[in-house]
Amino acid sequence: TSMCTVSEMRFSRREAFPKRLAGVAPSEVDVATVFASLQSAACAKARGVKIKIPDELKEGTPQTLWGRVLAATPIIMTVIATMLAGLSSSEMTKAQYARSLAAQKQSKAGDQWAFFQAKRMRSAVQSGTLDVVQTTTQSERTLDEAGLRTLAATLPQPDAVQTALNYLLSGKLPDYAAAPAPPANVQAALDVVRRGDEAAELARVMASVAPADIEQALKAAQDHARAFDGLMRPVVEAGDRLGELLEPTTTPHRALSRDFTVLRLRYSAGRYDAEARLNQSVAELYELQVRQSNLTAERHHRRSQQFFFGMLAAQAAVIIATFAMAAQKRNVLWSLAAAAGLGALIFAIYVYLYQ
């Protein structure tokens, strides 16, 4: 049968065959019967054999649950080391992504700072030109508001021109020109960046600022800047129409032309300055995102290093367990390997949850 080994059958044939054929004539021998008898005898012989394990093998076989755990230490530590290597690589990839995102945000912040500088320069040019005009003309003469309104009423769509002239005469920008106030936690982080505080203080404040908070404040600032531009565009276009009529080189109304030039220079200087501040608020929020991305990259980099150290501890456990198998001193060395592996696992859990 399948339970009888070849060696046992060979052993049984040598003993059972002479006994079974004793006194039997050759002509009466049936081959199938002979082999069936041999197989039955072999199986009976095999069932009666008792296997004894040598003492040397018994010493190396784990007898308790802890012994079985120690015996599986190399495999478990190899799995843990592989897991920690994967976590270390994953954290390094996240750090690289955060650095790349910071570079993109820095480029967008640079664009906003360029707009800020250009508009501040335009504001300065308008203010300088206004000073020149005011110092080279008759200072005792007052603006002819009535004459400007009368001339504006002669243009097509006079209501829009009159509205633009009201803005120019008042010299005040709409209240909408002011940048929207960000949330308190985002404002606190902006104050830290403006003061140029140390990195530790920035990290402490940024810990309470979620990326969604900065993104929401940035979107609000961008929408506000676009809305202000849309609000002022009709005023600028209507003012340009009145300015074309009062072109100094072609208009017969020279005094009204001078008055309108003064009004437009003064208002344009304030408008460019307001737009520059709006661009500044957007740029500062982009800068805040850059610093947040850099802090995130540094955090992932630290976690990658710590997971790498945990992987080294797990690999050390594997090496110790391998030496234990080679030295046949499993109780002490395997216990040391298990302790090293357990320490690596606990350290990895701590880094994953709290770092």
Side-chain angles (χ1 to χ4, degrees):
T1 63
S2 58
M3 298 297 295
C4 301
T5 62
V6 176
S7 60
E8 291 172 342
M9 291 182 65
R10 290 177 178 174
F11 174 77
S12 300
R13 289 174 186 171
R14 290 196 298 268
E15 293 187 355
F17 188 74
K19 296 180 181 179
R20 295 298 180 102
L21 297 182
V24 180
S27 59
E28 300 177 1
V29 176
D30 182 42
V31 176
T33 304
V34 171
F35 278 102
S37 300
L38 290 175
Q39 186 178 13
S40 177
C43 291
K45 186 71 174 180
R47 285 192 294 269
V49 175
K50 294 183 179 180
I51 300 175
K52 182 179 180 181
I53 301 176
D55 295 336
E56 293 81 1
L57 296 179
K58 287 184 178 180
E59 293 178 357
T61 303
Q63 302 296 327
T64 62
L65 177 61
W66 178 242
R68 296 187 183 94
V69 172
L70 292 179
T73 298
I75 299 175
I76 296 174
M77 292 302 103
T78 301
V79 172
I80 293 176
T82 304
M83 177 190 68
L84 294 178
L87 289 174
S88 178
S89 176
S90 174
E91 292 294 330
M92 185 58 68
T93 301
K94 292 178 181 178
Q96 293 173 349
Y97 170 78
R99 293 293 187 189
S100 176
L101 184 62
Q104 295 178 11
K105 297 296 184 180
Q106 186 65 65
S107 176
K108 294 181 179 180
D111 293 340
Q112 293 298 320
W113 285 122
F115 290 141
F116 166 78
Q117 292 174 350
K119 291 179 180 180
R120 286 298 295 269
M121 186 177 296
R122 287 184 178 181
S123 177
V125 170
Q126 299 290 324
S127 297
T129 305
L130 177 61
D131 293 338
V132 172
V133 171
Q134 288 178 336
T135 56
T136 56
T137 57
Q138 298 176 358
S139 59
E140 66 276 3
R141 184 180 181 278
T142 59
L143 293 173
D144 188 0
E145 179 179 346
L148 291 173
R149 290 189 181 277
T150 301
L151 188 61
T154 63
L155 295 173
Q157 299 178 348
D159 293 339
V161 180
Q162 291 289 351
T163 301
L165 188 57
N166 290 334
Y167 278 111
L168 295 178
L169 291 170
S170 66
K172 296 180 180 179
L173 295 171
D175 295 336
Y176 204 76
N185 56 347
V186 177
Q187 185 61 51
L190 287 173
D191 293 339
V192 171
V193 174
R194 290 167 182 167
R195 292 194 303 266
D197 292 347
E198 296 181 356
E201 178 64 17
L202 178 62
R204 184 189 66 81
V205 175
M206 291 296 293
S208 62
V209 181
D213 296 338
I214 304 178
E215 188 66 31
Q216 183 178 0
L218 177 61
K219 184 178 183 303
Q222 291 173 329
D223 292 342
H224 190 89
R226 284 190 290 265
F228 179 74
D229 183 68
L231 178 65
M232 297 306 299
R233 185 177 296 112
V235 176
V236 174
E237 292 175 353
D240 289 341
R241 288 166 53 197
L242 184 57
E244 292 174 359
L245 183 62
L246 294 174
E247 177 65 30
T249 59
T250 60
T251 182
H253 310 286
R254 302 299 299 272
L256 292 180
S257 175
R258 188 199 68 82
D259 293 343
F260 180 76
T261 299
V262 171
L263 291 177
R264 186 160 63 173
L265 287 173
R266 183 179 62 186
Y267 199 81
S268 296
R271 179 172 63 88
Y272 283 131
D273 191 64
E275 291 178 354
R277 287 195 298 269
L278 293 178
N279 290 124
Q280 180 184 10
S281 65
V282 175
E284 287 178 341
L285 289 171
Y286 273 126
E287 292 284 355
L288 199 60
Q289 285 187 327
V290 170
R291 284 163 173 77
Q292 188 175 55
S293 295
N294 285 332
L295 291 173
T296 301
E298 292 173 2
R299 174 176 175 269
H300 286 304
H301 187 263
R302 289 194 304 269
R303 284 165 60 91
S304 177
Q305 287 182 328
Q306 292 167 345
F307 280 132
F308 179 76
F309 294 149
M311 180 197 68
L312 292 181
Q315 288 181 340
V318 174
I319 295 173
I320 295 174
T322 304
F323 286 158
M325 295 175 63
Q328 296 296 322
K329 295 180 180 179
R330 304 181 182 183
N331 291 334
V332 177
L333 291 179
W334 280 17
S335 298
L336 180 60
L342 182 61
L345 182 61
I346 294 174
F347 180 73
I349 294 174
Y350 168 76
V351 172
Y352 187 83
L353 294 179
Y354 301 106
Q355 294 298 313

